[in-house]
């Protein structure tokens, strides 16, 4: 299970949120349905952002697809086309496979207009969507849909896959072909010989340094054991089979 603060770029997760009663403020209009959000409180101390307690959810109407539909996770029960102002529906997230494209910590917590102010942003894309498909879409911020674990929404996260779980960003390794590499993420490798990443490092790997210093025996053994079988390409294929997506370039 993934818990608050335990997220890494490349993680494949199943995310869910229990369906919770909410009042409809405005029925389906321009590809959105607006509801009074059941989890947040208005931040009366916010100097710049003034939220009114309403959240507009992007929905797919069949003909008019709002941009947020590509990334949004929340759904209504009953579906939006059956809702009108004053109705009570349920809002939540059915178990949905996503992959993490960015993790950002906020100190002090982010000012959003609602409470509690989030200290963490985890940006995700749903299964079937790739980062490179949306390089210029501002509604995705170039990365995906932002979740704020710990901001009052009772998300649950199940970790399905963490590629290269035995490595940490900044690790330096040597591969079976004698090339030295810096690891900055499962699909973010830099070869010290300047020859380009190509097909990636050749397993097994030998951990050279961690946090800029020689690694411990235990850390070296974990990396050696983790790469004793399989390959970088096999790891990539497994990740793609779970996400139905291309990795972040």
């Amino acid at each position: 299970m993934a818990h608050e603060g335990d997220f890494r770029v490349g993680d494949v997760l199943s995310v869910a949120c229990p369906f919770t009663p909410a009042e409809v403020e405005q029925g389906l209009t321009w590809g959105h349905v607006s509801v009074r959000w059941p989890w947040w409180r208005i931040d009366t101390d916010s100097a710049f952002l003034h939220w009114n307690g309403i959240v507009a959810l992007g929905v797919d109407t069949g003909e008019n697809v709002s941009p947020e539909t590509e990334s949004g996770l929340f759904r209504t029960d009953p579906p939006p086309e059956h809702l009108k102002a004053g109705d009570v529906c349920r809002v939540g997230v059915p178990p949905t496979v996503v992959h993490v494209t960015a993790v950002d910590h906020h100190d002090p917590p982010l000012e959003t207009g609602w409470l509690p102010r989030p200290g963490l942003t985890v940006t995700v894309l749903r299964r079937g969507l790739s980062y490179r498909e949306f390089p210029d879409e501002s509604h995705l911020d170039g990365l995906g849909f932002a979740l704020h674990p710990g901001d009052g929404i009772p998300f649950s996260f199940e970790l399905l896959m963490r590629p290269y779980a035995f490595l940490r960003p900044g690790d330096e390794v040597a591969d079976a072909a004698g090339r030295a590499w810096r690891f900055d993420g499962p699909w973010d490798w830099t070869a010290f010989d300047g020859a380009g990443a190509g097909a990636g490092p050749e397993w097994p790997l030998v951990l050279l340094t961690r946090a800029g210093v020689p690694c411990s025996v235990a850390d070296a053994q974990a990396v050696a054991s983790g790469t004793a079988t399989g390959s970088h390409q096999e790891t990539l294929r497994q990740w793609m089979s779970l996400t139905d997506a291309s990795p972040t370039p």
Side-chain angles (χ1 to χ4, degrees), residues 13-24:
L13 309 170
S14 176
V15 57
C17 174
F19 278 78
T20 302
E23 183 178 350
V24 178

Side-chain angles (χ1 to χ4, degrees), residues 34-47:
S34 298
V35 301
R36 188 162 295 278
W37 209 234
W39 296 290
W40 297 332
R41 308 185 309 278
I42 294 174
D43 186 353
T44 56
D45 293 327
S46 177

Side-chain angles (χ1 to χ4, degrees), residues 12-174:
V12 184
L13 309 170
S14 176
V15 57
C17 174
F19 278 78
T20 302
E23 183 178 350
V24 178
E25 186 74 12
Q26 185 177 51
L28 189 59
T29 305
W30 296 104
H32 294 81
V33 61
S34 298
V35 301
R36 188 162 295 278
W37 209 234
W39 296 290
W40 297 332
R41 308 185 309 278
I42 294 174
D43 186 353
T44 56
D45 293 327
S46 177
F48 306 104
L49 300 170
H50 303 285
W51 179 57
N52 63 1
I54 307 299
V55 169
L57 301 176
V59 298
D60 185 352
T61 65
E63 297 180 357
N64 180 19
V65 181
S66 66
E68 292 84 351
T69 302
E70 296 295 338
S71 56
L73 303 179
F74 285 93
R75 299 290 180 264
T76 62
D77 179 25
E81 59 268 25
H82 299 296
L83 298 174
K84 63 182 185 302
D87 287 349
V88 174
C89 67
R90 298 191 309 144
V91 178
V93 179
T96 304
V97 174
V98 300
H99 64 276
V100 177
T101 60
V103 179
D104 297 292
H105 296 268
H106 311 293
D107 185 15
L110 196 64
E111 187 172 331
T112 56
W114 64 76
L115 294 174
R117 295 183 177 183
L120 175 67
T121 299
V122 179
T123 310
V124 302
L125 284 174
R126 290 187 304 174
R127 188 177 193 276
L129 298 180
S130 300
Y131 167 86
R132 64 184 59 185
E133 295 174 3
F134 306 102
D136 301 315
E137 299 287 352
S138 61
H139 63 274
L140 288 174
D141 195 26
L143 291 171
F145 180 70
L147 304 178
H148 301 293
D151 75 344
I153 298 177
F155 287 117
S156 62
F157 299 93
E158 180 183 359
L159 180 62
L160 303 180
M161 180 184 182
R162 172 168 289 174
Y164 287 99
F166 41 80
L167 291 179
R168 299 177 188 172
D171 281 354
E172 296 178 354
V173 303

Side-chain angles (χ1 to χ4, degrees), residues 2 5 9 11 30-31 44 91 102 126 137 152 202 218 224 231-232 237 239:
V9 172
D11 283 355
W30 296 104
T44 56
V91 178
R126 290 187 304 174
E137 299 287 352
E202 185 176 328
S231 67
H232 175 77
R237 285 192 294 271
W239 184 89

